[in-house]
Amino acid sequence: MFATKWTSMVLHTLDARHEGGARTGVLHRSLPGISKKMLTQTLRDMETSGLILRDVLATMPPAVEYSLTPLGRRFVEPVNLLYDWGRTNADALDAFGPGPAPRRSAKRPKTD
């Protein structure tokens, strides 16, 4: 469920910044660094998991709003605890440094 960093960020953003619900464009502007494709994929995965509800509004043009389900609200609680811890311990996170460099596979010479 939390295989990507974006799931927890979407949960936290919906809860903390948008009172549990927001339209797609508002969410996109609230999550710096996320691509539209990744946001769409994350929202679909979260809807399938039962964390959020997708509501197509009867407007012209049609708009879509996402809101936390009761299950999503339950998952927000521990996520918010982690965000609060991060704000309180920003100095420790800054001192932590980058993780190990990713392994790169050696290029094989082309054989014709």
Side-chain angles (χ1 to χ4, degrees):
M1 183 176 306
F2 292 101
T4 71
K5 66 180 179 181
W6 296 113
T7 301
S8 63
M9 293 177 86
V10 169
L11 282 171
H12 177 74
T13 300
L14 277 172
D15 181 62
R17 297 185 67 188
H18 303 295
E19 299 176 1
R23 290 172 55 170
T24 311
V26 172
L27 270 175
H28 189 252
R29 289 187 295 277
S30 299
L31 295 162
I34 193 169
S35 68
K36 287 183 180 184
K37 180 180 177 181
M38 181 54 72
L39 177 59
T40 300
Q41 181 180 336
T42 302
L43 291 170
R44 284 181 183 157
D45 292 345
M46 292 174 70
E47 181 184 13
T48 301
S49 299
L51 297 174
I52 60 172
L53 179 65
R54 181 179 187 267
D55 185 26
V56 179
L57 305 174
T59 59
M60 274 307 200
V64 177
E65 181 170 297
Y66 292 92
S67 57
L68 294 171
T69 63
L71 180 62
R73 290 192 184 281
R74 289 177 67 184
F75 275 90
V76 162
E77 292 177 36
V79 169
N80 285 342
L81 289 172
L82 285 172
Y83 273 78
D84 291 342
W85 182 91
R87 282 189 288 274
T88 304
N89 295 281
D91 59 329
L93 292 171
D94 291 340
F96 188 65
R103 291 185 183 182
R104 296 181 187 223
S105 60
K107 288 189 177 181
R108 295 181 184 175
K110 272 190 167 180
T111 55
D112 294 322

Short mmCIF file of all heavy atoms in Angstrom, two decimals, residues 13 17-18 25-32:
data_model
loop_
_atom_site.label_atom_id
_atom_site.label_comp_id
_atom_site.label_asym_id
_atom_site.label_seq_id
_atom_site.Cartn_x
_atom_site.Cartn_y
_atom_site.Cartn_z
N THR A 13 -1.83 15.23 2.66
CA THR A 13 -2.27 16.46 2.02
C THR A 13 -3.79 16.58 2.03
O THR A 13 -4.34 17.65 2.33
CB THR A 13 -1.73 16.55 0.58
OG1 THR A 13 -0.30 16.53 0.65
CG2 THR A 13 -2.18 17.81 -0.12
N ARG A 17 -4.36 19.65 4.53
CA ARG A 17 -4.50 20.89 3.76
C ARG A 17 -5.86 21.08 3.12
O ARG A 17 -6.20 22.19 2.74
CB ARG A 17 -3.42 20.94 2.68
CG ARG A 17 -2.02 20.97 3.28
CD ARG A 17 -0.95 21.13 2.26
NE ARG A 17 -1.05 22.46 1.64
CZ ARG A 17 -0.32 22.83 0.60
NH1 ARG A 17 0.55 21.98 0.08
NH2 ARG A 17 -0.45 24.02 0.08
N HIS A 18 -6.62 20.01 2.99
CA HIS A 18 -7.88 20.11 2.24
C HIS A 18 -9.08 19.52 2.97
O HIS A 18 -10.07 19.18 2.33
CB HIS A 18 -7.71 19.47 0.87
CG HIS A 18 -6.58 20.06 0.07
ND1 HIS A 18 -6.58 21.36 -0.37
CD2 HIS A 18 -5.40 19.54 -0.31
CE1 HIS A 18 -5.46 21.61 -1.01
NE2 HIS A 18 -4.72 20.53 -0.99
N GLY A 25 -6.72 18.90 -9.73
CA GLY A 25 -5.80 20.01 -9.97
C GLY A 25 -5.29 20.63 -8.68
O GLY A 25 -4.11 20.99 -8.57
N VAL A 26 -6.15 20.74 -7.69
CA VAL A 26 -5.76 21.28 -6.39
C VAL A 26 -4.73 20.35 -5.74
O VAL A 26 -3.72 20.81 -5.20
CB VAL A 26 -7.00 21.46 -5.48
CG1 VAL A 26 -6.60 21.82 -4.06
CG2 VAL A 26 -7.94 22.50 -6.07
N LEU A 27 -4.97 19.06 -5.80
CA LEU A 27 -4.02 18.10 -5.26
C LEU A 27 -2.68 18.20 -5.98
O LEU A 27 -1.62 18.19 -5.34
CB LEU A 27 -4.55 16.66 -5.40
CG LEU A 27 -5.37 16.12 -4.26
CD1 LEU A 27 -5.90 14.74 -4.61
CD2 LEU A 27 -4.58 16.08 -2.98
N HIS A 28 -2.72 18.31 -7.30
CA HIS A 28 -1.48 18.39 -8.07
C HIS A 28 -0.66 19.60 -7.66
O HIS A 28 0.55 19.52 -7.49
CB HIS A 28 -1.80 18.41 -9.57
CG HIS A 28 -0.59 18.27 -10.41
ND1 HIS A 28 -0.07 19.30 -11.14
CD2 HIS A 28 0.23 17.20 -10.63
CE1 HIS A 28 1.00 18.89 -11.77
NE2 HIS A 28 1.21 17.61 -11.48
N ARG A 29 -1.32 20.75 -7.47
CA ARG A 29 -0.61 21.95 -7.05
C ARG A 29 -0.11 21.85 -5.60
O ARG A 29 0.86 22.50 -5.23
CB ARG A 29 -1.51 23.17 -7.21
CG ARG A 29 -1.73 23.56 -8.66
CD ARG A 29 -2.48 24.87 -8.79
NE ARG A 29 -3.84 24.83 -8.28
CZ ARG A 29 -4.90 24.39 -8.96
NH1 ARG A 29 -4.74 23.93 -10.19
NH2 ARG A 29 -6.10 24.39 -8.41
N SER A 30 -0.74 21.03 -4.80
CA SER A 30 -0.36 20.87 -3.40
C SER A 30 0.79 19.89 -3.19
O SER A 30 1.30 19.78 -2.07
CB SER A 30 -1.56 20.38 -2.58
OG SER A 30 -2.61 21.30 -2.63
N LEU A 31 1.15 19.17 -4.22
CA LEU A 31 2.20 18.14 -4.11
C LEU A 31 3.34 18.46 -5.07
O LEU A 31 3.42 17.89 -6.17
CB LEU A 31 1.61 16.75 -4.42
CG LEU A 31 0.57 16.25 -3.43
CD1 LEU A 31 -0.24 15.13 -4.03
CD2 LEU A 31 1.24 15.82 -2.15
N PRO A 32 4.24 19.36 -4.69
CA PRO A 32 5.34 19.71 -5.58
C PRO A 32 6.18 18.49 -5.92
O PRO A 32 6.48 17.66 -5.07
CB PRO A 32 6.17 20.72 -4.79
CG PRO A 32 5.39 21.05 -3.57
CD PRO A 32 4.30 20.04 -3.42
#
